Amino acid sequence: MIIVFEVLHKDLMGRIGRLETPHGVVETPTIMPVVNPNLVLIRPDELERFGAEIIITNAYIIHKKEELREKALEGGVHELLGWKKPLMTDSGSYQLYEYGDVEVSNREIVEFQLGIGSDVIVPLDIPTPPDAQRERAESDLAETLRRLEEAKRISRGREGGGGEVRGARPLLAGPIQGSTFLDLRERCAAAVSEMGFDVYPIGGLVPLLEDYRYRELVEIIIAVKQRLPADAPVHLFGVGHPIFFSLAVALGCDLFDSAAYALYAKDDRYLTSDGTYFLEDLHYLPCSCPVCSKYDVRYLKECDREERARLLAEHNLYVTFAEIRAVKQAIRENRLWELLERRCRAHPLLLSGLKKVLEHAELLEKYDVSTKRSFFYLGETSARRPEVLKYAKKLDRFEVSGNTLVAALDTTLEDACKALKLDLQAFDHVFLVKPPFGPYPLELQETYPIGQSEVPTPMDYEGLTTALENVLKLLEMSKGAEFVFVCGEPWKEHPLIQKIKRRAKCIFV
Ligand code: GUN
Ligand code: ZN
């Protein structure tokens, strides 16, 4: 088997990867700007300047218009659009979703994509909308799977097929549908990975994204990811708002595509990594991209429609690719969680999405790297980060017996001992407590994550809670030890202290 996707760096379930296509290698995560051949706002040859490594266009739109179709079949889709790098084509499924019908069959559109030399081919999957009737979601899914099988046979050339294949073997995408039914999403993902594709797009998400239904987006992505091979490239169809990139990448998504930069621009909407503004609501331009550096907000409001759309589209592309780079930088530094926490503070429903991710911290912990250079506690959602879970899981290595001091203090240990007239030498073991992690042996204070973590003082309730839960765990597992628990502010007010009292002699300072 030829390896088309290779993971180079990891953080959480996210990764920087390289995807090989007939027209070259793409570094992921990345976003594919949508190029509509009928309506070009920014020419494909200009897109590179913003950071585009791969673009996506719609084979159905090309196929439908005789002039475009003939040109594409003659010179290839790359020549048609004036783009020499990797290029993905969509099949018309979105038009099928929008208008209920399309004028091509799956076979025709797959053969057409092969014939025009696309690098990544998409079968005519059926996007079932969210909250659909279950029967409909199931029958759409069965038909999607049948079409995927057919596309595989056609592209592998095992069946005759009409169209001629141009260039090296293109990648074949296997879209995953199933509406908002998680079991259907799982079943589909399992079936599609069993068939084996090069790229796995998750489809039918656009309406969820438009309605800020981030919790459900998270649930769907996790359901699908659990059934796909860990090293398979995952694409989110129609997801292109930079606000969602860090969250999606943290869950293991690699490719995005979007017409948002252009559609929003035509609608006078200005993208930022933490939301969208209507131009009329802007008093200043909160960005320093080339557009926002050169023009002021008044100019943008007053210039003619066409120029405004063009300038807004440029700005939108700049911020979109800037966010991709910020996500990649965060992966390299193993600080993706922290980026995610900051981005998810931009909207309460994103915060709900982040909390949904925390319900799956166990899964993220399995994928996450084992040591990081730093850990910044940025609020209550940091208390159950995968790193904290990992720490709790490894607590059993600290099982002790004999006289043991556990100290949760806001002063130094020496000061507390002096004040309490405690002799450290009298103890066989000494633990300090650092929230949100919990107890650690004095000797390990320089090691990860204790030595590398920066936490606020006073710590919030959630951070104290995880730390005290882990203190309790230590007390309960070390049956052969006698514990003295020294506790200062703000620890002593915490309700878990009552439980600790049952197992340790507590001294309050
Ligand atoms: N574009 C946005 N959503 C979808 C989808 O579900 N399938 C395909 N093929 N394209 C899309
Ligand atoms: Zn800008």
Side-chain angles (χ1 to χ4, degrees):
M1 193 176 120
I2 309 155
I3 294 175
V4 298
F5 185 64
E6 191 186 351
V7 172
L8 304 176
H9 304 281
K10 298 202 268 189
D11 192 18
L12 305 171
M13 288 168 81
R15 58 272 183 103
I16 292 177
R18 71 192 287 286
L19 180 71
E20 228 175 288
T21 82
H23 282 80
V25 172
V26 173
E27 186 176 274
T28 63
T30 197
I31 172 147
M32 303 179 273
V34 173
V35 174
N36 180 341
N38 279 328
L39 209 126
V40 176
L41 197 54
I42 296 184
R43 287 195 323 272
D45 64 310
E46 296 174 88
L47 285 170
E48 229 179 309
R49 172 159 62 85
F50 299 89
E53 296 182 35
I54 173 169
I55 61 173
I56 183 166
T57 190
N58 196 309
Y60 176 66
I61 294 177
I62 298 172
H63 186 268
K64 209 170 157 187
K65 212 171 184 177
E66 193 180 338
E67 183 201 339
L68 294 174
R69 183 173 67 227
E70 295 307 320
K71 260 190 169 166
L73 282 170
E74 210 162 286
V77 63
H78 288 78
E79 193 176 295
L80 176 77
L81 296 181
W83 171 261
K84 294 192 168 68
K85 294 194 156 189
L87 182 155
M88 180 169 179
T89 43
D90 201 353
S91 54
S93 294
Y94 201 67
Q95 284 66 24
L96 178 67
Y97 169 75
E98 287 272 292
Y99 309 112
D101 198 14
V102 283
E103 293 156 20
V104 285
S105 68
N106 180 54
R107 168 174 291 278
E108 281 170 309
I109 203 67
V110 169
E111 282 173 355
F112 182 65
Q113 291 174 78
L114 286 166
I116 63 177
S118 167
D119 291 292
V120 188
I121 289 173
V122 180
L124 193 64
D125 57 307
I126 304 173
T128 315
D131 317 312
Q133 293 275 329
R134 188 168 173 102
E135 293 71 40
R136 173 177 171 196
E138 284 190 2
S139 65
D140 283 356
L141 188 57
E143 177 60 13
T144 292
L145 291 175
R146 191 198 66 73
R147 292 179 183 190
L148 264 54
E149 283 279 13
E150 183 179 60
K152 264 209 87 161
R153 284 196 306 270
I154 296 167
S155 82
R156 298 291 185 267
R158 273 186 228 136
E159 272 192 2
E164 186 189 322
V165 180
R166 181 185 288 275
R169 184 183 84 79
L171 311 188
L172 187 61
I176 291 154
Q177 299 290 349
S179 180
T180 26
F181 299 100
L182 296 182
D183 62 319
L184 295 188
R185 289 283 185 178
E186 280 184 37
R187 198 207 292 168
C188 184
V192 174
S193 37
E194 181 65 29
M195 284 182 224
F197 287 82
D198 303 302
V199 175
Y200 296 87
I202 308 180
L205 302 180
V206 174
L208 293 175
L209 203 72
E210 283 173 348
D211 289 342
Y212 294 56
R213 290 167 68 175
Y214 297 114
R215 272 180 85 82
E216 287 154 286
L217 281 163
V218 166
E219 279 179 331
I220 291 170
I221 295 168
I222 287 176
V224 168
K225 280 292 292 190
Q226 284 181 288
R227 298 302 174 114
L228 291 181
D231 55 358
V234 175
H235 168 199
L236 294 190
F237 259 135
V239 171
H241 199 302
I243 205 168
F244 193 62
F245 291 167
S246 54
L247 190 53
V249 171
L251 296 176
C253 301
D254 308 288
L255 290 163
F256 304 93
D257 75 87
S258 179
Y261 75 95
L263 297 177
Y264 279 38
K266 288 202 187 101
D267 217 9
D268 284 347
R269 281 187 286 174
Y270 180 99
L271 290 181
T272 77
S273 57
D274 54 19
T276 310
Y277 291 96
F278 278 102
L279 185 61
E280 63 179 28
D281 294 329
L282 279 176
H283 300 278
Y284 306 92
L285 298 179
C287 169
S288 53
C289 81
V291 173
C292 301
S293 305
K294 184 166 176 191
Y295 303 97
D296 63 15
V297 69
R298 235 180 74 195
Y299 183 85
L300 283 187
K301 284 178 180 174
E302 288 170 5
C303 68
D304 71 58
R305 259 186 90 83
E306 209 173 307
E307 186 182 9
R308 184 160 63 245
R310 160 87 203 189
L311 292 173
L312 284 175
E314 286 192 22
H315 157 84
N316 289 347
L317 275 173
Y318 278 121
V319 297
T320 300
F321 280 100
E323 182 64 4
I324 291 286
R325 293 191 296 275
V327 168
K328 292 202 286 193
Q329 175 65 23
I331 293 176
R332 291 300 299 268
E333 289 186 288
N334 291 125
R335 299 182 66 175
L336 185 56
W337 184 271
E338 288 151 27
L339 180 65
L340 181 62
E341 282 192 314
R342 283 184 282 130
R343 292 296 184 255
C344 289
R345 256 61 184 189
H347 194 285
L349 291 174
L350 270 170
L351 188 56
S352 303
L354 180 63
K355 290 187 174 174
K356 178 54 79 182
V357 175
L358 281 173
E359 290 174 25
H360 296 274
E362 192 84 34
L363 178 70
L364 270 76
E365 187 267 326
K366 268 204 301 218
Y367 280 80
D368 202 11
V369 295
S370 55
T371 23
K372 303 193 175 186
R373 265 180 302 170
S374 74
F375 175 105
F376 281 11
Y377 190 99
L378 298 174
E380 89 285 357
T381 49
S382 299
R384 292 180 193 274
R385 278 175 62 154
E387 296 90 333
V388 181
L389 204 65
K390 204 185 280 286
Y391 190 81
K393 279 190 170 175
K394 295 196 306 185
L395 268 184
D396 39 7
R397 70 197 156 126
F398 295 151
E399 188 186 337
V400 287
S401 53
N403 257 342
T404 306
L405 175 69
V406 181
L409 300 166
D410 62 342
T411 59
T412 67
L413 183 60
E414 288 69 28
D415 288 351
C417 286
K418 228 180 266 169
L420 296 169
K421 300 202 170 61
L422 267 178
D423 179 11
L424 274 186
Q425 304 305 322
F427 294 97
D428 300 307
H429 307 278
V430 178
F431 286 86
L432 292 178
V433 182
K434 181 161 187 177
F437 301 103
Y440 63 94
L442 206 49
E443 324 67 272
L444 292 190
Q445 63 185 339
E446 302 298 331
T447 62
Y448 179 84
I450 300 301
Q452 286 66 31
S453 46
E454 298 280 349
V455 306
T457 46
M459 176 48 85
D460 57 32
Y461 184 80
E462 287 77 7
L464 297 178
T465 304
T466 48
L468 288 174
E469 281 169 359
N470 289 340
V471 167
L472 268 170
K473 220 171 138 182
L474 174 74
L475 302 190
E476 276 155 19
M477 76 190 182
S478 303
K479 301 282 182 222
E482 295 274 327
F483 285 102
V484 174
F485 183 66
V486 178
C487 170
E489 299 288 352
W491 303 91
K492 49 187 175 191
E493 316 301 334
H494 197 286
L496 280 177
I497 296 294
Q498 294 311 317
K499 281 195 173 169
I500 290 175
K501 269 186 178 166
R502 287 183 215 145
R503 179 68 186 87
K505 182 182 165 202
C506 287
I507 304 172
F508 299 103
V509 283

